[in-house]
Amino acid sequence: MNYSVGNTGRVLWAGLRALIVLTVVCGVLYPLAVTGIAQLAFPAKANGSTIEDASGKVVGSSLIGQRYDLPLKDGQETAAPDLRWFQPRPSRGLGTNTVNTRYALLLSGATNRAGDSSELITWVTEAKAAVVKDNSVPGHPVKPSEVPADAVTSSGSGLDPNISPAYAGLQVRRVAERNHLTVEQVEKLVAEHTGGRILGFIGEPRVNVLELNTALRDLTAKG
């Protein structure tokens, strides 16, 4: 009986020591090592790829899109876009049966509508009409044929922070007019924030809307 009790005690003590060692190594030392290496090697990515404005205030992450809407009024369910700013891709905010209308990180996903879905066709048609209306300025009407696909469709995740140079260019005159800037000033901003293909051949040229609007905010603040 004494032998059995002593043997059980040794087994328990060995298990406890293994637990303590593994907790220290896996729960403390390894996370600290990985965090330290990440902070030294690529601190920007390790800290969430945050974007700061001219004052040093963090305004978001370059990896996650944001909406730029006017404040909701009493009784209003859907916010209207604030047309002073470049607008992102729709974030599953088409129609009434939606998945993610405000780039909420917990609601990433697709609507799973087929290309011939009458509901999807209706959403896209309405979205295209809104893009034409919002971006037409006196003397420069926007044609429906000029509206790129990313202006009326969301990405697979619904969180894409980028738009195409074509969609950014479509918004230039409206943004310039609303912010009392010249078209040349806004076109320069778009050019400065247009990224090329990864490694020269992967993906498509893109414009990060948050980075672009942050630069636009800084420019208008100077003026």
Side-chain angles (χ1 to χ4, degrees):
M1 186 70 176
N2 291 335
Y3 173 78
S4 177
V5 172
N7 188 52
T8 301
R10 286 193 297 272
V11 171
L12 291 176
W13 174 234
L16 180 59
R17 283 182 294 175
L19 175 63
I20 294 172
V21 170
L22 290 174
T23 299
V24 172
V25 173
C26 299
V28 180
L29 297 181
Y30 177 74
L32 287 176
V34 171
T35 301
I37 293 172
Q39 291 295 332
L40 291 174
F42 31 84
K45 292 182 178 180
N47 291 317
S49 300
T50 56
I51 296 176
E52 298 179 353
D53 60 16
S55 66
K57 178 184 177 181
V58 174
V59 294
S61 169
S62 64
L63 304 176
I64 304 296
Q66 294 185 15
R67 291 194 57 81
Y68 294 85
D69 294 333
L70 294 169
L72 282 171
K73 298 180 180 178
D74 293 338
Q76 189 178 16
E77 295 183 359
T78 304
D82 189 340
L83 299 181
R84 293 176 301 165
W85 308 107
F86 284 91
Q87 293 298 311
R89 297 183 67 167
S91 180
R92 299 298 166 208
L94 299 172
T96 56
N97 184 12
T98 61
V99 175
N100 183 2
T101 60
R102 298 194 62 80
Y103 287 90
L105 300 184
L106 296 178
L107 297 175
S108 173
T111 60
N112 294 324
R113 297 297 191 279
D116 60 353
S117 166
S118 59
E119 191 172 25
L120 178 61
I121 293 173
T122 299
W123 294 350
V124 170
T125 301
E126 293 175 350
K128 179 177 285 190
V131 170
V132 169
K133 177 178 179 293
D134 290 344
N135 291 284
S136 294
V137 299
H140 293 89
V142 173
K143 300 177 182 178
S145 60
E146 296 174 333
V147 179
D150 62 305
V152 296
T153 58
S154 58
S155 62
S157 68
L159 303 175
D160 193 350
N162 302 313
I163 58 176
S164 65
Y167 187 26
L170 188 71
Q171 303 182 63
V172 164
R173 291 187 179 278
R174 183 253 299 162
V175 171
E177 181 183 80
R178 297 276 177 153
N179 290 280
H180 307 292
L181 299 170
T182 66
V183 171
E184 290 73 21
Q185 284 178 298
V186 181
E187 286 179 335
K188 182 180 179 182
L189 278 183
V190 172
E192 291 173 346
H193 293 84
T194 299
R197 292 179 172 86
I198 300 172
L199 300 178
F201 67 93
I202 300 175
E204 296 293 334
R206 62 206 179 281
V207 180
N208 187 289
V209 179
L210 176 57
E211 294 177 352
L212 179 58
N213 278 337
T214 301
L216 174 63
R217 182 181 288 109
D218 293 340
L219 178 61
T220 56
K222 293 178 181 177

